[in-house]
Amino acid sequence: MNKGELVDKIAEGADITKASAGRSLDSLISAITSELADGGDVALVGFGTFKISARAARKGRNPQTGAEIQIAASNAPGFKAGKALKEACN
């Protein structure tokens, strides 16, 4: 399912226009992104939790030359599914 198909499903399920559903989805994505960028977590009960995890700096290798390179520390977004979502998938 892509974003357009998701907007269609939201519009149908909430009985709203596709334009409103698209704006709602964009707003949700923006709110989650903003909270994660500020270092917070977003917990949706029954669905799951979005959170940031820190990745330490490490050494790697350039696959073309084999030369050792330093990979900088970074933050990575993650998602942990909630119990209800796990049960729905099994």
Side-chain angles (χ1 to χ4, degrees):
M1 175 182 290
N2 62 29
K3 187 175 179 181
E5 293 167 341
L6 182 57
V7 167
D8 291 344
K9 288 261 189 186
I10 292 170
E12 181 182 319
D15 195 26
I16 58 176
T17 65
K18 289 182 185 180
S20 293
R23 286 191 304 272
S24 298
L25 181 58
D26 289 340
S27 179
L28 173 68
I29 292 169
S30 176
I32 291 172
T33 302
S34 176
E35 184 62 26
L36 292 177
D38 291 341
D41 296 344
V42 178
L44 303 173
V45 176
F47 184 69
T49 303
F50 296 91
K51 62 171 58 176
I52 293 291
S53 60
R55 289 186 180 167
R58 59 192 168 90
K59 292 181 181 178
R61 293 213 175 264
N62 181 332
Q64 291 181 332
T65 64
E68 192 172 90
I69 58 172
Q70 185 65 26
I71 301 172
S74 64
N75 293 324
F79 176 76
K80 182 177 179 185
K83 183 179 178 183
L85 180 59
K86 287 179 188 177
E87 289 175 355
C89 292
N90 289 317

